[in-house]
Amino acid sequence: AQSVTQLDSQVPVFEEAPVELRCNYSSSVSVYLFWYVQYPNQGLQLLLKYLSGSTLVKGINGFEAEFNKSQTSFHLRKPSVHISDTAEYFCAVSDGGGGNKLTFGTGTQLKVEL
Amino acid sequence: GAVVSQHPSWVICKSGTSVKIECRSLDFQATTMFWYRQFPKQSLMLMATSNEGSKATYEQGVEKDKFLINHASLTLSTLTVTSAHPEDSSFYICSVNRGTEAFFGQGTRLTVV
């Protein structure tokens, strides 16, 4: 069984400040890790993913994440946020099997303020 | 990537009626689709895996007679909420996997009054 923990339900930050959204996972097997963004009343859009290889993954909209196997973490970062980054962010894990079913964290609401 | 279209985007129905939600994979033939449910300010919970040409696989705690899933073709899966009640009000999202990546529909907001 897999699980994903997003400790921060809400993260307020001022525009142009850096931000980190935390994600920890647990799994007994190797996993694939994902970050998705959701705008109000919309589906999810993939920001980035880690499958293998380099532990630093760069995604869209200036986001990046680092896979840390020893700490079972996959924190999302952006050096300078914009108002348009205000959204819900979900971390997810898949074991790559069984049709790649995703297990999601509870989400982090990023609120960028002027 | 894959383009996934969900219809309708929102629906309001009376308690006791049934509602059908469609999920279409527009540019990719999908033997498997996934249905998720999302309560306000909560995460997505997998409800079931829709399998083309065979029965859907439901997650524990999801009533298969309540949430009927049909995957009649490689591009269409439908979720029917039968005898809907206010507690079924939620945001329903489908997804299609292509390789290791999941592509999501835009979701359907169901409100049962």
Side-chain angles (χ1 to χ4, degrees):
Chain A
Q2 304 161 112
S3 67
V4 179
T5 302
Q6 291 180 250
L7 289 172
D8 306 306
S9 60
Q10 283 190 337
V11 173
V13 63
F14 288 109
E15 193 174 33
E16 298 184 4
V19 70
E20 178 180 84
L21 306 183
R22 295 181 293 169
C23 172
N24 289 87
Y25 70 93
S26 67
S27 176
S28 57
V29 299
S30 297
V31 296
Y32 299 152
L33 294 157
F34 306 83
W35 274 99
Y36 288 89
V37 60
Q38 184 182 35
Y39 297 100
N41 291 312
Q42 293 188 29
L44 276 70
Q45 180 183 7
L46 180 68
L47 280 176
L48 48 79
K49 60 184 176 183
Y50 172 80
L51 304 180
S52 65
S54 174
T55 57
L56 182 62
V57 180
K58 293 189 182 298
I60 63 171
N61 300 342
F63 285 94
E64 63 180 34
E66 185 156 18
F67 170 59
N68 188 318
K69 188 174 181 179
S70 63
Q71 296 186 5
T72 60
S73 67
F74 191 54
H75 301 330
L76 181 70
R77 302 187 184 98
K78 186 169 182 178
S80 175
V81 296
H82 300 285
I83 289 287
S84 59
D85 293 322
T86 295
E88 189 84 17
Y89 291 80
F90 291 97
C91 181
V93 64
S94 162
D95 64 6
N100 289 326
K101 287 191 293 187
L102 291 170
T103 300
F104 286 89
T106 49
T108 297
Q109 175 67 42
L110 175 64
K111 186 174 182 181
V112 181
E113 302 168 349
L114 292 172
Chain B
V3 180
V4 181
S5 177
Q6 230 176 297
H7 178 80
S9 298
W10 59 270
V11 58
I12 301 173
C13 71
K14 290 185 177 180
S15 187
T17 62
S18 295
V19 173
K20 180 184 286 188
I21 302 170
E22 294 185 347
C23 179
R24 294 184 183 272
S25 176
L26 298 183
D27 60 349
F28 176 66
Q29 291 187 326
T31 56
T32 302
M33 294 185 182
F34 299 93
W35 286 97
Y36 294 85
R37 181 174 182 176
Q38 184 181 30
F39 289 103
K41 299 190 182 300
Q42 294 188 30
S43 188
L44 283 76
M45 299 300 295
L46 180 65
M47 298 175 65
T49 303
S50 174
N51 303 300
E52 188 268 336
S54 64
K55 291 182 179 180
T57 306
Y58 290 82
E59 296 299 303
Q60 191 172 11
V62 178
E63 299 175 61
K64 62 180 180 180
D65 295 329
K66 173 78 171 175
F67 299 99
L68 299 179
I69 291 173
N70 183 279
H71 194 151
S73 77
L74 290 171
T75 59
L76 173 64
S77 174
T78 61
L79 168 67
T80 302
V81 183
T82 63
S83 186
H85 292 285
E87 57 264 30
D88 298 322
S89 297
S90 190
F91 194 56
Y92 294 87
I93 307 176
C94 69
S95 76
V96 167
N97 282 358
R98 190 167 193 176
T100 57
E101 188 169 336
F103 296 88
F104 291 84
Q106 66 268 46
T108 298
R109 171 72 60 194
L110 170 63
T111 302
V112 184
V113 297

